[in-house]
Amino acid sequence: MNMKRDPVKAIFDLKQFGEYGDVNPSITDSATYTFMQAKTMTDVFHGEQEGCFLYSRHWNPSNKYLADAMAALEGTQQAWVTASGMSAITAALLQLCNSGDHIISSMTTYGGTFAFLSNYAPKFNIKSTFVDITDLEAVKNAITPNTRVIYTESMTNPMLQISDIPKLAALANEHGIKLIVDNTFTPMIIQPALLGAHVVVYSMTKFVNGKNDCVAGAICGTDEFINSLIDVNSGTAMLLGPVLDPLRSSSILKNLHTLHIRMQQHSRNALYLAEKLKEEGLVVSYPGLPGHKGHGLMKTMMNPDFGFGGMLAIDLGTGERAARFMELMEMHDVGYLAVSLGYFKTLFSNSGRSTSSEVPKEIQDEMGLSEGLVRFSVGLDHDIEATWQRIKHCLDMME
Ligand code: PLP
């Protein structure tokens, strides 16, 4: 194994069994839990007794299995699983920030996150500054005495920029700020906490689950942070209540055990298509291509066994050309014209008019998000050469 730490081994070593020796942990289908002694219940309520379950908005055994596996994946002390990626992001941010605090965020970030930071968090007097996260000087210059969080995505959505996690973490530590990294695009490939991030958040809706059959999220961090999130008096997760349903936790846990194989295939297929699209003379963004601005940096941070990930983007110049190309690709069985990512079939969408449409046009322009950008989440196709022929046919029809 050619990697700094084997996340697959970390998950498999957990050896999680069900109560009857079931190879899959039993599903705990219960909102509440009984106690033999009243005092034990009081002690659990006040966090003075561990190892007991009280109420499923706080902890549920099925959620704990998945959370433990996510913590093992990331190399963090603990994790907590949420009902969506957005609830993981918002709970983590609201736990760290109070009224009057300030967040520095990558300008290129998932549209929902951008909307939360720019439109919603100000209701609580939490302001954000958006910067080019690859410009460390800009990040440094944005720090104010009220800055509590630097927020970024390991590989940003949809521009596929690479965040320099060790340098951002060093900057954060120097100023007593927390670094939160959304690792949704690069599970297994990048382990942000091992590179210095204080909190790692996920939309498990995407690659982690990989089936597009549910929406889910995770927050990975220290014992102290996760315990603060579920504190009965002041925890954002406990009080806003975005807990994941345990039936979903158990299905995601099973899918997590094939994540490494899926990531390898997503990456292999995406690299193949990126090279072919480039050869056609198209404007291609894929961090696995040596010409990509973040290629060298990503190599210093990644577990090379899993490749450069399944996300790539091409720029077709105009929204109209993007729309026509996507319709042709859907018609010719390349994949589906759909938002989201990490599915076993290829998905494509026009970011500026879908998952980044919350970002105002002038900021889209500032970050270089072209109207014609088509983002692909490359699927697990067995015969990627045949897929390429179908894409090529669609390109030819665009002439
Ligand atoms: N983070 C990233 C990078 C995303 O792409 C998304 C959704 O597309 C989210 C977070 C939000 O996740 P969810 O839809 O599970 O709430």
Side-chain angles (χ1 to χ4, degrees):
M1 271 262 145
N2 178 20
M3 64 176 61
K4 297 163 194 153
R5 174 182 175 274
D6 183 352
V8 186
K9 183 171 183 307
I11 295 171
F12 277 59
D13 278 357
L14 288 176
K15 296 196 175 62
Q16 299 169 318
F17 291 106
E19 58 190 316
Y20 300 107
D22 340 12
V23 294
N24 289 312
S26 320
I27 300 171
T28 307
D29 192 17
S30 200
T32 194
Y33 304 83
T34 186
F35 290 84
M36 301 310 285
Q37 275 135 11
K39 182 171 181 322
T40 318
M41 177 187 275
T42 310
D43 290 347
V44 173
F45 215 87
H46 293 113
E48 284 152 17
Q49 161 117 27
E50 290 187 358
C52 294
F53 292 90
L54 178 71
Y55 187 63
S56 283
R57 173 156 46 82
H58 183 254
W59 267 125
N60 171 290
S62 299
N63 289 6
K64 184 85 173 76
Y65 285 123
L66 178 60
D68 286 350
M70 289 303 291
L73 169 67
E74 290 308 313
T76 56
Q77 288 174 337
Q78 239 193 103
W80 200 77
V81 290
T82 60
S84 68
M86 275 314 293
S87 56
I89 293 163
T90 54
L93 285 168
L94 291 175
Q95 189 62 30
L96 289 173
C97 296
N98 294 314
S99 172
D101 287 345
H102 173 245
I103 297 166
I104 299 171
S105 169
S106 168
M107 186 179 293
T108 306
T109 190
Y110 166 60
T113 309
F114 185 92
F116 175 76
L117 292 173
S118 61
N119 309 334
Y120 200 92
K123 289 208 294 192
F124 305 104
N125 195 25
I126 299 168
K127 305 253 165 60
S128 298
T129 303
F130 297 94
V131 296
D132 173 354
I133 206 71
T134 64
D135 180 351
L136 289 167
E137 224 21 61
V139 180
K140 198 169 168 180
N141 291 338
I143 295 174
T144 74
N146 294 341
T147 306
R148 292 286 164 270
V149 170
I150 298 175
Y151 183 91
T152 193
E153 295 167 353
S154 318
M155 184 186 285
T156 66
N157 184 1
M159 300 304 291
L160 312 183
Q161 293 169 314
I162 304 301
S163 297
D164 191 334
I165 298 168
K167 290 215 174 112
L168 290 167
L171 191 59
N173 288 334
E174 212 179 290
H175 294 268
I177 299 170
K178 299 290 183 209
L179 174 64
I180 304 184
V181 177
D182 179 338
N183 200 39
T184 298
F185 280 18
T186 46
M188 296 272 166
I189 300 170
I190 295 178
Q191 292 166 292
L194 301 183
L195 297 167
H198 301 101
V199 179
V200 183
V201 288
Y202 270 100
S203 167
M204 295 197 292
T205 314
K206 322 294 181 188
F207 290 103
V208 168
N209 185 47
K211 304 291 186 295
N212 251 300
D213 54 3
C214 72
V215 174
I219 307 168
C220 310
T222 59
D223 283 333
E224 190 190 353
F225 183 64
I226 302 298
N227 290 339
S228 75
L229 271 172
I230 55 171
D231 185 283
V232 293
N233 291 304
S234 57
T236 309
M238 188 61 184
L239 299 177
L240 298 188
V243 67
L244 183 58
D245 185 275
L247 297 178
R248 278 304 178 193
S249 278
S250 87
S251 68
I252 296 170
L253 180 63
K254 283 171 275 199
N255 293 335
L256 182 64
H257 285 80
T258 59
L259 176 62
H260 55 299
I261 300 168
R262 291 187 278 115
M263 289 316 292
Q264 287 168 344
Q265 184 75 356
H266 283 298
S267 295
R268 247 196 309 270
N269 285 351
L271 179 62
Y272 182 91
L273 292 185
E275 283 170 344
K276 290 288 180 195
L277 289 160
K278 184 110 197 124
E279 278 166 30
E280 282 302 304
L282 286 152
V283 180
V284 185
S285 173
Y286 182 66
L289 294 177
H292 186 280
K293 194 177 161 213
H295 179 72
L297 171 62
M298 185 156 171
K299 276 168 88 173
T300 65
M301 296 194 298
M302 68 193 276
N303 287 324
D305 287 34
F306 304 111
F308 289 86
M311 303 303 295
L312 72 84
I314 58 172
D315 185 358
L316 292 169
T318 65
E320 288 59 43
R321 276 175 59 77
R324 163 122 177 93
F325 185 54
M326 292 189 302
E327 284 163 10
L328 282 169
M329 287 198 295
E330 178 145 84
M331 215 181 301
H332 291 87
D333 296 330
V334 173
Y336 298 134
L337 198 180
V339 295
S340 205
L341 50 124
Y343 188 42
F344 42 80
K345 297 210 177 171
T346 296
L347 304 179
F348 35 84
S349 53
N350 180 209
S351 301
R353 293 181 179 183
S354 56
T355 52
S356 295
S357 57
E358 299 91 336
V359 180
K361 180 76 177 74
E362 63 276 11
I363 297 188
Q364 290 192 16
D365 290 345
E366 194 179 335
M367 71 168 89
L369 173 53
S370 154
E371 273 180 27
L373 189 104
V374 176
R375 189 194 73 181
F376 287 76
S377 165
V378 179
L380 300 175
D381 311 28
H382 177 57
D383 187 353
I384 195 68
E385 162 65 27
T387 305
W388 165 244
Q389 291 307 331
R390 288 197 288 274
I391 296 175
K392 175 84 177 69
H393 181 58
C394 299
L395 285 170
D396 292 344
M397 290 173 78
M398 296 280 290
E399 298 297 309

